[in-house]
Amino acid sequence: MSRLVCVSNRISLPRKSAAPGGLAIGIQSALRRSGGLWFGWSGDTSEEDAGDPDIHIRDGVSFATIDIRKQDFDDYYNGYANEVLWPLFHYFLKGMRYRTEQRDAYEDVNRIFAQKLQPLLQPKDLIWVHDYHLIPLGRQLRELGVQRPIGFFLHIPFPNIEMLRVLPSYAELLRDLTCYDVVGFQTQNDLNAFYSCIEHLFGAEAIRGEGRIRVGERVLRAAVFPIGVDVNGVQTEATEAQSASVVKRMSDSLMGRDLMMGVDRLDYSKGLVERFSAYQTFLETYPDNVGRITYIQIAPLSRADVKAYVEIRQSLEQAAGRTNGRFADTDWTPIRYLNRNFPHATLMGFLRAADVGLVTPLRDGMNLVAKEFVAAQDATDPGVLVLSNLAGAARELTSALLVNPYDMRGVSHAIQAALSMPLPERRERHAAMLQVLKRNDIASWTRRFVEALEQAQSSDARMRAVSNRA
Ligand code: F6P
């Protein structure tokens, strides 16, 4: 039987608090099912070159981690990954700051990952690389002689060619993607954008039927694998958390008011400034709600050394302060804005307690909070999801109230529609979305990707057999 090896920049280490973000939740749940190895960054920087990986084994999963040198980390993670690729892939050119040294550090850190991972690999491994931090890793593993199938999944959006070619080294990045056997995207939009880039670089004839792309001798498969959630797991967590004191205290503190909830990493792509303005527009447009609704926004800090994140944090503090200063009363605060994280189960408990889930990113690969909000609801009396049509999740959750996150008035109308929606309509919309979530849950995401990798393996074996016979 094959062993699954997942590789990502950030990993959810046992004993460390869970890393926020859908990637960690997705991989954690994939590996919990099948067992295997998870290789990545330890979360620490060092003055020295990375030594041998630290290995911890827990519940059938081996965690192998390495430290990254401080300067490399600044240029690779803060720099190339989060000041170049992240803004570019999310269509925020204004936030992009390209420096060649960052590109070099990106290549170097990927090489270190490849060198440290390669000795841990076994003959039957299937290797699954995650996210934009590690695009060159497949090529570098091949250069070290790794023959096993290697797949890559992009958790964030993939930009169209007109956006991608702003990147001076865009051709290398595309060539690196073609070194994988399987390349997966969240939505059809992302796959189409990838095709537009492949066509630009290699010509239309590179794209074959059934998602195959031929570049020289190599054939790779590109497809859509929308990440899902563990529906039963979320339901259980959400239900059990209702009796947890932290959730009870939150619910009691509402004093019977409606609850609107947002949970996002503090990131400019999540559209929080726009969301706070839309909430202010809502209070202005529908003044009956003043004093009757509480909006809790949980936004744990993230990438705090990157300038754009320092700026967005300041803007949000000002925006929350403005709304609270203008509307608050001695016994009511319109926005409770918290820069801290909570255990996953607690968050699911909060989401279940909410009448409205507000998920309005300006651009998002998928957004698992939207899916978790739906899964966490009580099906007999569900809350309503207000969802950005620029999130990948909007392709599947079409029964949410879909909004344009830049349209303050539109979002404010949607909040009002959510709060006043009759129970039968809430149930109907919720049931439709739950069905989608069950059909495409986290287990089927893993299964489909691993099957694609296994097929790559068997077609490789066939090709080898043919060339041996020849
Ligand atoms: O999903 C996108 C992503 O960048 C993941 O790769 C990452 O684990 C998560 O968001 C959190 O971001 P970071 O690791 O930069 O804190």
Side-chain angles (χ1 to χ4, degrees):
M1 218 185 91
S2 306
R3 179 180 73 152
L4 185 59
V5 176
C6 288
V7 193
S8 60
N9 173 64
R10 191 180 287 284
I11 81 174
S12 258
L13 272 176
R15 288 194 302 277
K16 285 205 177 172
S17 67
L23 175 146
I25 292 173
I27 303 181
Q28 208 168 24
S29 142
L31 285 172
R32 210 182 290 132
R33 281 183 170 77
S34 63
L37 172 69
W38 191 352
F39 182 94
W41 172 50
S42 63
D44 296 321
T45 55
S46 67
E47 295 305 322
E48 322 272 297
D49 289 349
D52 288 340
D54 268 348
I55 314 258
H56 305 264
I57 301 175
R58 173 114 151 231
D59 300 334
V61 179
S62 305
F63 296 82
T65 59
I66 54 168
D67 295 349
I68 300 179
R69 280 185 39 204
K70 173 85 178 68
Q71 184 61 48
D72 285 346
F73 178 77
D74 281 347
D75 287 341
Y76 144 81
Y77 172 82
N78 289 328
Y80 200 72
N82 289 319
E83 283 188 336
V84 179
L85 297 182
W86 179 272
L88 185 71
F89 280 32
H90 285 83
Y91 291 77
F92 288 105
L93 273 190
K94 203 171 141 255
M96 182 178 145
R97 290 144 58 100
Y98 184 88
R99 279 194 298 118
T100 317
E101 306 85 75
Q102 297 176 335
R103 170 74 184 86
D104 296 344
Y106 182 67
E107 181 72 14
D108 289 347
V109 171
N110 270 269
R111 188 174 313 107
I112 295 169
F113 265 56
Q115 286 165 347
K116 301 293 172 183
L117 173 62
Q118 189 255 350
L120 305 181
L121 294 176
Q122 296 173 4
K124 289 194 169 173
D125 284 346
L126 296 173
I127 303 155
W128 187 359
V129 178
H130 293 259
D131 238 358
Y132 58 102
H133 313 87
L134 299 176
I135 293 173
L137 186 64
R139 167 180 47 85
Q140 289 170 334
L141 285 170
R142 292 284 181 236
E143 285 169 5
L144 292 176
V146 174
Q147 304 259 339
R148 301 296 302 156
I150 312 179
F152 176 83
F153 183 77
L154 185 68
H155 289 255
I156 65 173
F158 193 81
N160 195 281
I161 182 61
E162 282 311 312
M163 186 56 73
L164 188 71
R165 71 198 185 94
V166 167
L167 184 68
S169 49
Y170 80 95
E172 283 86 345
L173 183 130
L174 278 174
R175 283 203 189 89
D176 280 351
L177 282 170
T178 64
C179 291
Y180 288 95
D181 297 294
V182 180
V183 177
F185 299 96
Q186 297 277 26
T187 68
Q188 189 62 42
N189 281 355
D190 303 310
L191 179 60
N192 293 345
F194 179 61
Y195 282 154
S196 76
C197 296
I198 291 290
E199 195 175 323
H200 171 89
L201 193 63
F202 301 109
E205 65 283 2
I207 300 163
R208 306 295 169 101
E210 295 172 25
R212 310 268 157 195
I213 292 170
R214 175 175 284 279
V215 178
E217 292 295 288
R218 291 199 39 76
V219 175
L220 68 127
R221 185 171 163 218
V224 176
F225 302 87
I227 192 167
V229 294
D230 174 0
V231 179
N232 292 336
V234 169
Q235 279 172 348
T236 308
E237 278 186 339
T239 314
E240 288 177 2
Q242 296 314 292
S243 49
S245 71
V246 57
V247 177
K248 275 193 174 151
R249 272 193 292 124
M250 185 280 292
S251 295
D252 291 347
S253 74
L254 298 174
M255 315 276 286
R257 295 184 179 98
D258 288 328
L259 171 63
M260 183 161 75
M261 213 50 231
V263 180
D264 306 80
R265 244 177 352 91
L266 203 160
D267 193 302
Y268 51 88
S269 66
K270 302 294 179 187
L272 294 174
V273 172
E274 293 74 6
R275 196 182 299 177
F276 283 10
S277 299
Y279 180 57
Q280 177 154 331
T281 306
F282 163 75
L283 293 175
E284 286 160 1
T285 316
Y286 300 101
D288 285 357
N289 291 290
V290 171
R292 299 216 176 118
I293 179 171
T294 296
Y295 166 28
I296 300 185
Q297 177 62 53
I298 296 176
L301 298 182
S302 122
R303 305 176 192 166
D305 294 330
V306 178
K307 188 164 168 259
Y309 290 75
V310 175
E311 288 169 359
I312 190 75
R313 185 176 172 188
Q314 286 166 354
S315 307
L316 278 168
E317 282 162 6
Q318 285 167 7
R322 252 194 318 272
T323 302
N324 283 341
R326 175 157 162 212
F327 290 96
D329 212 329
T330 46
D331 60 351
W332 175 63
T333 311
I335 306 184
R336 298 187 196 168
Y337 171 53
L338 289 76
N339 289 140
R340 55 170 287 203
N341 203 5
F342 289 86
H344 191 256
T346 306
L347 288 175
M348 297 307 103
F350 289 158
L351 290 180
R352 186 179 176 91
D355 302 283
V356 181
L358 198 52
V359 184
T360 55
L362 304 178
R363 180 85 49 181
D364 215 332
M366 175 52 66
N367 198 300
L368 285 188
V369 174
K371 293 188 168 183
E372 287 171 336
F373 175 80
V374 173
Q377 293 308 302
D378 171 359
T380 62
D381 185 14
V384 179
L385 177 63
V386 175
L387 176 61
S388 162
N389 57 16
L390 298 174
R395 305 282 298 203
E396 294 171 88
L397 301 180
T398 49
S399 295
L401 294 182
L402 295 179
V403 292
N404 180 320
Y406 292 95
D407 176 10
M408 309 303 143
R409 215 178 297 161
V411 175
S412 90
H413 293 330
I415 296 172
Q416 177 63 14
L419 288 170
S420 51
M421 189 180 286
L423 180 60
E425 183 179 345
R426 281 192 278 132
R427 281 188 180 158
E428 203 177 304
R429 286 176 181 269
H430 176 256
M433 291 193 282
L434 197 59
Q435 209 177 5
V436 174
L437 294 193
K438 284 183 176 162
R439 205 169 43 227
N440 184 34
D441 66 357
I442 190 73
S444 76
W445 175 70
T446 311
R447 194 180 51 247
R448 288 187 54 233
F449 198 94
V450 170
E451 273 170 16
L453 271 179
E454 279 165 346
Q455 277 162 17
Q457 157 173 261
S458 49
S459 52
D460 259 16
R462 269 202 304 276
M463 277 171 62
R464 271 198 300 277
V466 171
S467 52
N468 286 344
R469 272 202 302 275

